[in-house]
């Protein structure tokens, strides 16, 4: 099978899933997600999550990166 993105991913699958859940929470969709099962969501709701990934995913990544940098900085001071 062809591999279109041979480089290692910047974020692991777990981190990408965290971002996806964070966006779903921002959209008020988490009550419909049960134990990681997204099948109760309509196609429109899933599209809302996927459609928001461009802007919201980047915002979530920036928030996470800022938190990690702040944590790293705090660790260096102690």
């Amino acid at each position: 099978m062809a591999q279109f993105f041979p480089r290692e991913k910047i974020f692991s699958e777990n981190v990408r899933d965290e971002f996806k859940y964070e966006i779903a929470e921002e959209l008020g969709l988490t009550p419909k997600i049960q134990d990681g099962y997204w099948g109760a969501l309509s196609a429109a709701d899933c599209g809302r999550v996927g459609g928001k990934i461009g802007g919201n995913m980047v915002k979530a990544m920036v928030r996470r990166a800022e938190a990690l940098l702040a944590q790293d900085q705090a660790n260096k001071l102690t």
Side-chain angles (χ1 to χ4, degrees), residues 8-78:
E8 186 176 327
K9 302 289 184 194
I10 295 172
F11 293 102
S12 69
E13 185 174 345
N14 291 338
V15 172
R16 292 191 309 265
D17 282 344
E18 287 178 27
F19 292 138
K20 184 170 68 171
Y21 279 99
E22 186 174 333
I23 292 168
E25 185 175 353
E26 288 178 9
L27 295 173
L29 299 175
T30 49
K32 295 181 182 180
I33 303 167
Q34 299 173 357
D35 299 324
Y37 177 69
W38 290 65
L41 269 68
S42 67
D45 286 339
C46 287
R48 287 174 56 206
V49 172
K52 295 281 185 175
I53 285 180
N56 288 345
M57 180 73 93
V58 171
K59 289 176 189 173
M61 287 180 188
V62 168
R63 281 194 301 269
R64 182 172 177 89
E66 287 173 342
L68 289 172
L69 287 171
Q71 181 183 5
D72 187 46
Q73 195 71 314
N75 288 340
K76 287 182 180 180
L77 295 175
T78 57

